[in-house]
Amino acid sequence: LDAFEAGSLDFVWGLNSDAIKSMVETNIDLFQRKPAKYVLENDAEMVTQLYEFNTTRAPFNDVKVRQAFCYAINRNKIIEGVLRGEAYGPGINGICPPALKGYNATEVKGYDYAPEMAPKLLSEAGYKTPGNPKGKDFPNVRLVLNSGGAKNTNVASEIQNQLRDVLGVNMDFVNVTFQQKLDDARYARSDIFRSAWVADYPSAENFLSLYYGLEVPDSVNKPSFPNTSRYKNAEFDKLFEAGKAAPTIDEANKIFLQAEQLMIKDAPSMILWYD
């Protein structure tokens, strides 16, 4: 940013909200004059931020538990309170971001904040809640996130608080290096993993490949990537393959929408926001 203000850079990308606020307020006349010296561009990216569940073991081998966690999260509070608006809507739907042109990502029905539905699902899964006082105690669960400044930790703290308030469950989290986080996720070494997917190419196929089950090994002693949640659903796999084989992009997208909705219902991941 110093180099940009000094005139030795023409473009700087990925500034945090504090830096943007300071830059604009300090130089407001240079943004507003005609022609402007500085231009602030804010566009949606094809990037989805999420938490992945380890579906190979309890408690997240139960779809109702995964759904309960997804319904327990107030994403607007995270976006406005923690990210200061640096995230994209409208709405949080599926794994495919709305910025994906030609694909009607907003047609996928995701998980709105539903603090009454979440404990009900946890109760149905057999765990102790106000509606099921005789249920079994929910175990402490562990989130692995890569160290990447305060943002990852602040988001994790907010989600930790929301899960405690809505579901009465405890989620601990640990910061590790990015490489360690990748290794832990590939070998299913925790309960939840912070993750994100940046489009390699602008297609729903690229995002949905995270959940293709036929490449998931039978043993956690063997690495699984990119399907680190180790999600398996034969119907999803058939739809995914049919979408890849479709003769046109429009036909492929219709099939991919079906596959995505099925996967979202199974909730192998908690979709948080789009960059």
Side-chain angles (χ1 to χ4, degrees), residues 25-78:
E25 288 181 350
T26 304
N27 301 279
I28 188 64
D29 59 316
L30 300 180
F31 283 91
Q32 292 180 338
R33 75 184 189 185
K34 298 184 184 300
K37 180 178 180 180
Y38 298 141
V39 175
L40 177 64
E41 186 168 351
N42 189 336
D43 287 318
E45 294 186 289
M46 285 187 284
V47 181
T48 302
Q49 301 283 343
L50 61 146
Y51 281 2
E52 295 178 337
F53 298 119
N54 180 353
T55 65
T56 68
R57 67 188 190 195
F60 297 115
N61 58 351
D62 189 324
V63 64
K64 289 188 176 181
V65 172
R66 301 194 300 266
Q67 290 172 341
F69 270 58
C70 291
Y71 277 125
I73 302 305
N74 186 336
R75 291 160 182 80
N76 286 337
K77 189 175 181 181
I78 295 171

Side-chain angles (χ1 to χ4, degrees), residues 5 15 22 35 39 57 71-72 108 110 137 151 155-156 180 190 210 235 263:
E5 290 186 86
L15 296 176
S22 175
V39 175
R57 67 188 190 195
Y71 277 125
V108 176
D137 290 330
K151 183 170 78 171
V155 169
Q180 183 64 54
S190 191
L210 302 183
E235 185 179 352
M263 179 275 294

Side-chain angles (χ1 to χ4, degrees), residues 85-158:
E86 286 189 11
Y88 181 71
I92 304 299
N93 301 85
I95 183 69
C96 295
L100 195 61
K101 292 183 179 179
Y103 184 76
N104 297 322
T106 55
E107 289 186 8
V108 176
K109 180 173 173 51
Y111 292 88
D112 295 327
Y113 177 50
E116 296 176 355
M117 174 69 75
K120 181 177 183 293
L121 285 163
L122 204 63
S123 177
E124 291 175 1
Y127 290 100
K128 188 179 295 183
T129 66
N132 184 25
K134 295 184 179 180
K136 54 190 173 183
D137 290 330
F138 196 86
N140 287 354
V141 294
R142 181 173 178 264
L143 163 69
V144 172
L145 60 148
N146 54 291
S147 49
K151 183 170 78 171
N152 289 345
T153 302
N154 291 343
V155 169
S157 294
E158 176 61 31

Side-chain angles (χ1 to χ4, degrees), residues 9 31 38 68 80 111 113-114 127 139 162 168 222 227 230 261:
L9 291 176
F31 283 91
Y38 298 141
E80 297 304 323
Y111 292 88
Y113 177 50
Y127 290 100
Q162 292 186 20
K222 297 177 182 179
N227 188 347
R230 298 182 182 243
Q261 186 63 76

